[in-house]
Amino acid sequence: MSWAVEIDKVSFAYDVEPVLVNASLRVGVGEFVGLFGPNGGGKTTLTRLILGLLQPQSGSVRIFGQPPAGMRHKIGYVPQFSTASFNIPITVFEAVLTGQVNRRALPLGFGRHWSRRGEGAGRAREALRMVGLADCAERQVSELSGGQKQRVLIARALASDPEILLLDEPTASIDPQGKFCFYEFLAGLSRADFENAANSASGRGPMTIIMVSHDISLTTGPLTSIATVNREIISAPGNTPNREMLEILYGTHPQSCPFDHFIKHIPHSRADQCEECAHCSPPSDSAGSGREGWL
């Protein structure tokens, strides 16, 4: 398998407080990976390392085999909704167009004089179509609902034609009932991009999606693999967390605690179940479809 992201024995600390310790993770090209962890567990730090905004104090990070700083043009980043400012006079189309500033040799300037013609504008319109906002192109971003603003951020990332889509807490502004429709939508992007890449002569691989979240319930979505981070990283194929993952997320609990009973009935892994857990049936991998619920 070709690797989109390789994190090898990475350690990082702010001052003397360790955030990541000997953390390793590999993400294959075309995968849809959920990266889960508690607040303060190192998710944001890991995201910044992938983007090349931080440097590991030991170990290495590679994007398509290269240092991250030189590969940012291949990553479409969707920031946390709470950190994005929408109180500026800009249309939806203009906001999406700004996502191409990171592209190499992009012939666009700053300000309100970006070209509305040519290849860049075409990519922006296609990104709006992909997220269902083509009819909102000339509306002010400030007029949109929370879910629509989230889609603007995704379209902005897609407009750069990324090979990796990195989303940080993307469902923070989406109603609970719409989260799973949203993940099916992301899976649909991955499947469509896989087909486009297969039919392309450019040699470009299918888009890899990495979704960062603290909500472990979202593992019921259409993920190809999951990883948990809390100073260390544990990863596994499929979308079912094993006991080790839950323990690094939530710690150990006294035997009198109901959560201890719950964790002990989770298999260690699909490939290596302990005798105690052998009778357990793994949760279903099925997920719903559609994206109507996250408008």
Side-chain angles (χ1 to χ4, degrees):
M1 175 180 286
S2 299
W3 302 109
V5 177
E6 295 175 273
I7 299 167
D8 185 29
K9 299 178 181 178
V10 164
S11 294
F12 186 89
Y14 295 102
D15 296 326
V16 296
E17 184 66 27
V19 179
L20 295 172
V21 179
N22 203 33
S24 296
L25 175 68
R26 292 197 298 181
V27 178
V29 172
E31 281 200 85
F32 182 9
V33 178
L35 181 61
F36 300 93
N39 293 331
K43 300 189 306 297
T44 298
T45 298
L46 193 61
T47 299
R48 291 172 178 171
L49 288 165
I50 292 172
L51 291 170
L53 302 177
L54 295 174
Q55 298 297 320
Q57 289 155 352
S58 65
S60 64
V61 179
R62 292 287 183 269
I63 307 298
F64 298 110
Q66 302 296 321
M71 304 297 283
R72 290 177 190 154
H73 62 288
K74 292 182 177 290
I75 303 176
Y77 175 57
V78 180
Q80 291 189 30
F81 184 82
S82 60
T83 66
S85 175
F86 296 99
N87 296 319
I88 55 176
I90 189 171
T91 67
V92 170
F93 178 77
E94 290 168 337
V96 172
L97 205 58
T98 65
Q100 300 179 71
V101 170
N102 194 39
R103 290 182 60 86
R104 290 180 172 177
L106 183 71
L108 296 180
F110 290 93
R112 293 179 58 85
H113 301 288
W114 288 327
S115 173
R116 287 176 169 265
R117 300 178 181 178
E119 181 184 354
R123 281 194 296 267
R125 293 190 180 94
E126 174 62 15
L128 285 171
R129 185 198 63 77
M130 292 172 69
V131 301
L133 287 180
D135 293 339
C136 299
E138 298 306 321
R139 292 182 61 184
Q140 292 289 309
V141 173
S142 58
E143 299 174 354
L144 303 182
S145 67
Q148 288 174 320
K149 290 174 180 176
Q150 181 68 72
R151 284 192 276 168
V152 170
L153 293 178
I154 296 172
R156 181 179 181 275
L158 292 174
S160 65
D161 192 26
E163 295 186 45
I164 298 174
L165 185 62
L166 178 60
L167 305 102
D168 191 359
E169 301 284 1
T171 59
S173 64
I174 299 174
D175 293 336
Q177 66 270 21
K179 289 183 179 181
F180 301 103
C181 297
F182 174 73
Y183 292 131
E184 182 61 28
F185 162 74
L186 289 180
L189 286 181
S190 182
R191 289 191 294 266
D193 196 73
F194 186 91
E195 294 172 359
N196 291 339
N199 295 327
S200 173
S202 66
R204 177 190 182 281
M207 182 162 52
T208 303
I209 299 177
I210 304 173
M211 178 186 64
V212 179
S213 179
H214 69 279
D215 188 354
I216 196 69
S217 71
L218 300 176
T219 56
T220 56
L223 304 173
T224 60
S225 63
I226 59 176
T228 54
V229 55
N230 192 357
R231 295 184 63 177
E232 61 177 318
I233 296 176
I234 297 177
S235 61
N239 64 352
T240 303
N242 58 45
R243 184 189 296 184
E244 289 85 355
M245 290 179 169
L246 293 178
E247 285 178 347
I248 76 163
L249 288 176
Y250 303 114
T252 57
H253 295 252
Q255 291 187 358
S256 59
C257 175
F259 203 72
D260 175 72
H261 177 78
F262 171 75
I263 289 179
K264 284 184 175 178
H265 283 77
I266 298 294
H268 287 280
S269 70
R270 289 183 174 180
D272 183 25
Q273 292 185 353
C274 65
E275 293 181 1
E276 178 186 358
C277 303
H279 65 279
C280 297
S281 297
S284 171
D285 286 342
S286 63
S289 61
R291 56 185 176 88
E292 295 80 2
W294 64 287
L295 296 178

